[in-house]
């Protein structure tokens, strides 16, 4: 029997909401403890209200439940982070350092810390951005992720903490509504289309960005975490790719399935964040080290998103 006990920090967020049932399936329902600042959105798990900025509270929760692995998903994302840069930096860094320190002190088996395409800035090649390149992010979120990647590598090499990381692209999911990101427009567009409304997109129609369907993002996460440690050559964070598309391409794709849907484009400050990010990513090392391969293309994502959201809207209407 698998005796691992998992703590998800930031379980109410976009990735956490979807990852929780997947980890419950792998490890058993009682083996996964969900935590967040606010009470559970989905009361289907053992839940702790936890502010990971408080090191003592974090260590108490780890000891109380006999935690062996942490998925640290809490962070202030790219767009929201710009409204209060110092506070965003403090939240992102303090929670990370508390998690790494707890992993070292309490001898946790493994830790997952997400990074992001936001680590890249204007000096990196925009197409097929390589694993190792210049990192000059334009946002405080990106700066905190560059620092986080280096701290992860440091705790691995200096203290042998088995911390693993992925540079997620924009993640498209139906389980929850993302908040505070630059890539959130894609999920918003699907919601509007299914709700029978039109959408005014805050990015330009040609803002091509790397994206990924939630099922691919979850599988990448569990495959990385299950890979033998000796196979992992990257201890900062792995480049990870799904697909790349523009808002105009997404609009067209949705319109093929929802012909009445219309979209306009009114770029705001998030456009300049998008322009500082890659259009596509080279994830050769993820493919080589732990056999990464995405499954979902844009047409499949659209079919899945429309089916799931339609079911959600019908079930809300009936309650
Ligand atoms: C954001 O847009 O900030 C995030 C990300 C790409 O990390 N979705």
């Amino acid at each position: 029997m698998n005796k691992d006990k998992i703590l998800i920090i930031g379980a109410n967020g976009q990735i956490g909401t979807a990852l929780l049932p997947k980890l419950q399936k792998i490890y058993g329902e009682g083996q996964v403890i969900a935590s967040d600042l606010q009470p559970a959105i989905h009361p289907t798990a053992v839940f702790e209200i936890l502010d990971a900025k408080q090191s003592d509270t974090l260590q108490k929760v780890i000891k109380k439940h006999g935690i062996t692995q942490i998925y640290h998903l809490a962070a202030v994302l790219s767009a929201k982070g710009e409204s209060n840069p110092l506070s965003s930096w403090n939240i992102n860094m303090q929670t990370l350092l508390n998690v790494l320190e707890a992993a070292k002190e309490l001898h946790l088996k493994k830790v997952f810390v997400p990074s992001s395409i936001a680590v890249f800035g204007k000096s990196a090649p925009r197409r097929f951005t390589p694993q190792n390149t210049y990192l000059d992010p334009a946002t405080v979120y990106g700066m905190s992720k560059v620092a986080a990647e280096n701290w992860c590598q440091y705790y691995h090499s200096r203290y042998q903490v088995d911390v693993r990381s992925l540079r997620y692209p924009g993640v498209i999911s139906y389980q929850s509504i993302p908040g505070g990101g630059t890539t959130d427009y894609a999920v918003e567009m699907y919601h509007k289309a299914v709700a029978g409304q039109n959408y005014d997109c805050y990015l330009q129609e040609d803002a091509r960005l790397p994206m990924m369907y939630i099922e691919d993002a979850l599988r990448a996460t569990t495959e990385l975490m299950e890979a033998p440690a000796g196979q992992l050559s990257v201890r900062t964070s792995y480049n990870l790719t799904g697909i790349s598309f523009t808002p105009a391409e997404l609009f067209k794709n949705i319109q093929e399935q929802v012909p009445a849907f219309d979209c306009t484009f009114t770029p705001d400050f998030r456009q300049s964040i998008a322009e500082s990010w890659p259009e596509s990513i080279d994830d050769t090392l993820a493919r080589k080290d732990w056999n990464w391969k995405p499954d979902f293309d844009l047409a499949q994502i659209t079919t899945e998103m429309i089916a799931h959201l339609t079911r959600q809207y019908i079930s809300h209407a009936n309650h």
Side-chain angles (χ1 to χ4, degrees), residues 14 77-79 115-118 141 168-171 180-184 277:
Q14 188 195 15
L77 299 187
S78 58
S115 184
S116 159
I117 53 165
Y141 169 64
Y168 286 132
V171 173
T182 302
T183 56
D184 297 357
W277 287 354

Side-chain angles (χ1 to χ4, degrees), residues 166-314:
L166 296 171
R167 289 173 176 159
Y168 286 132
V171 173
I172 298 173
S173 70
Y174 56 86
Q175 292 90 338
S176 66
I177 299 177
T182 302
T183 56
D184 297 357
Y185 86 85
V187 179
E188 289 174 8
M189 203 186 283
Y190 284 114
H191 274 270
K192 290 288 184 188
V194 171
Q197 296 167 9
N198 294 330
Y199 182 57
D200 188 26
C201 181
Y202 57 76
L203 294 185
Q204 266 173 219
E205 49 193 302
D206 60 351
R208 184 176 300 282
L209 288 170
M211 296 279 191
M212 175 174 278
Y213 189 49
I214 186 72
E215 298 302 332
D216 276 339
L218 298 181
R219 189 168 51 78
T221 307
T222 52
E223 284 180 3
L224 171 70
M225 290 301 274
E226 283 162 9
Q231 264 171 237
L232 306 181
S233 65
V234 176
R235 286 295 182 162
T236 48
S237 187
Y238 277 96
N239 272 12
L240 185 69
T241 212
I243 49 167
S244 290
F245 56 79
T246 65
E249 286 165 357
L250 179 61
F251 167 42
K252 259 199 167 162
N253 203 272
I254 294 176
Q255 216 182 26
E256 277 169 23
Q257 296 194 32
V258 186
F261 176 60
D262 199 8
C263 182
T264 48
F265 302 89
T266 314
D268 67 14
F269 73 100
R270 289 169 279 194
Q271 174 61 26
S272 66
I273 298 178
E275 280 170 22
S276 74
W277 287 354
E279 289 187 359
S280 59
I281 298 287
D282 173 2
D283 63 355
T284 306
L285 279 176
R287 288 171 191 257
K288 182 170 159 278
D289 288 0
W290 43 279
N291 297 321
W292 167 243
K293 196 171 163 300
D295 275 343
F296 288 83
D297 64 19
L298 183 54
Q300 289 168 305
I301 296 174
T302 298
T303 302
E304 288 259 324
M305 285 296 286
I306 290 177
H308 282 289
L309 293 180
T310 303
R311 271 200 292 278
Q312 280 176 19
Y313 277 83
I314 290 171

Side-chain angles (χ1 to χ4, degrees), residues 23-41:
L23 293 181
Q24 285 176 323
K25 235 188 215 157
I26 297 174
Y27 294 97
E29 251 183 53
Q31 300 301 106
V32 186
I33 314 299
S35 75
D36 211 306
L37 290 172
Q38 307 295 331
I41 296 183

